[in-house]
Amino acid sequence: MKRIFFALVFVFIAQLLRAEEIKDFGRDRLNSSPRHADWVDIKSGDRTIKAFVVYPESKNKTPIVLVVSEIFGLTDWVRSLCDELAENGVIAIAPDLHGGQKFEDLDGARKVTSALPKEQVKSDLNATADYALTKIPAGNGTLAVCGFCWGGGWAFEYAHTNPKLKAAYSFYGVAVDNADDAKKVACPVYGFYAENDERVDATIPKGEELMKAAGKKYEPVIYKGAGHGFMRSGEPTNPQVREGDRKARDEAWARWKTLLKQL
């Protein structure tokens, strides 16, 4: 009985560690970065939210990219990605849409994220965008949005919500599925998708059809051998890094860097 008990305890601890590793790594990059970063308070209706901002080392004003997280919220990985964006010449700002909540496992993150009111998320994104354009003097007035998984879907949606956007980068997020929404898209939308992710990929053809009919630019690229979440699971510092996703992440970053220079 003791042997069974200790085996169960070991499995339980391993599961907890694995859940933590899935969503929370990247702190080493944050601690060693030469770039300046801030936590800021942003008024959103009658609420105040936090946002993480990272600045590039630049002598000129630069574009700003609004970063929408995965369902795990504003983790160390998301903040490290903000630093990587700043390394590539843009200001990155990531609002904490989950109100500082931390999740012990994937199921908890799903439950909390699915319960977030859509209008609240939209209000928080609008408040962050307004802050980026009016309260960050180092910005040059150009605003783009990126997002991952749940945030990737929101990046596409925000492209038809905020007319001030100059570009949207949707990473494995569902595409637009409404003709009226497609007509309202204000900027080019660049999609980054995984080959082994039919749940999301199945939305691409209709999105292409609607965007083409509306005269809008939509450029989806599907990365071979990659699974959903490859920007995170392909991160070299991820304890559970997957090699197919690492390759896709490198290819996606190469493309993204080129696109960022066009802002």
Side-chain angles (χ1 to χ4, degrees):
M1 289 296 295
K2 285 185 177 181
R3 183 176 298 175
I4 295 175
F5 172 78
F6 284 117
L8 290 174
V9 170
F10 176 80
V11 170
F12 176 72
I13 292 174
Q15 288 176 338
L16 286 180
L17 290 173
R18 182 180 184 277
E20 184 66 18
E21 288 174 351
I22 283 175
K23 62 183 183 297
D24 216 8
F25 58 90
R27 190 166 296 183
D28 287 345
R29 181 185 181 95
L30 293 169
N31 286 334
S32 62
S33 173
R35 287 162 290 281
H36 182 79
D38 281 325
W39 284 100
V40 298
D41 292 327
I42 297 176
K43 192 71 175 175
S44 178
D46 59 357
R47 300 163 50 251
T48 298
I49 64 171
K50 291 283 187 182
F52 186 67
V53 186
V54 188
Y55 296 86
E57 295 181 303
S58 174
K59 64 180 181 180
N60 301 313
K61 295 181 183 295
T62 59
I64 302 176
V65 176
L66 172 58
V67 180
V68 190
S69 73
E70 309 164 294
I71 62 172
F72 301 117
L74 200 52
T75 59
D76 289 345
W77 175 73
V78 174
R79 295 193 300 124
S80 72
L81 184 132
C82 289
D83 182 74
E84 198 164 2
L85 278 168
E87 184 180 40
N88 284 283
V90 299
I91 299 167
I93 180 167
D96 184 359
L97 302 174
H98 291 74
Q101 294 188 74
K102 302 294 184 181
F103 307 106
E104 293 184 356
D105 56 34
L106 178 58
D107 191 51
R110 288 186 181 123
K111 288 178 181 178
V112 170
T113 303
S114 64
L116 288 175
K118 186 174 181 178
E119 289 306 312
Q120 176 180 299
V121 174
K122 189 179 297 184
S123 175
D124 291 350
L125 291 177
N126 285 337
T128 306
D130 289 343
Y131 182 96
L133 291 173
T134 64
K135 303 293 185 181
I136 299 181
N140 67 2
T142 296
L143 179 68
V145 65
C146 71
F148 306 85
C149 184
W150 172 76
W154 264 106
F156 211 137
E157 178 154 343
Y158 203 52
H160 64 74
T161 301
N162 190 334
K164 297 179 181 179
L165 291 175
K166 302 302 181 185
Y169 314 104
S170 177
F171 288 81
Y172 30 88
V174 295
V176 65
D177 66 355
N178 180 283
D180 289 336
D181 290 340
K183 293 175 183 177
K184 297 175 185 175
V185 170
C187 62
V189 178
Y190 303 96
F192 299 74
Y193 301 99
E195 181 181 33
N196 303 320
D197 191 13
E198 183 59 18
R199 179 188 68 84
V200 172
D201 294 352
T203 70
I204 297 174
K206 185 176 180 180
E208 288 183 298
E209 178 183 336
L210 293 174
M211 291 286 279
K212 183 178 180 179
K216 306 295 183 177
K217 185 175 184 178
Y218 173 40
E219 294 184 356
V221 172
I222 298 176
Y223 295 89
K224 291 185 177 182
H228 184 79
F230 64 81
M231 291 296 283
R232 169 174 49 77
S233 56
E235 178 76 40
T237 59
N238 186 341
Q240 297 173 311
V241 62
R242 300 191 303 192
E243 288 305 315
D245 292 347
R246 186 204 295 263
K247 182 176 183 293
R249 177 190 178 278
D250 289 344
E251 292 174 357
W253 257 115
R255 177 188 176 209
W256 200 9
K257 290 176 182 179
T258 298
L259 293 172
L260 289 171
K261 291 177 182 178
Q262 298 171 8
L263 286 176

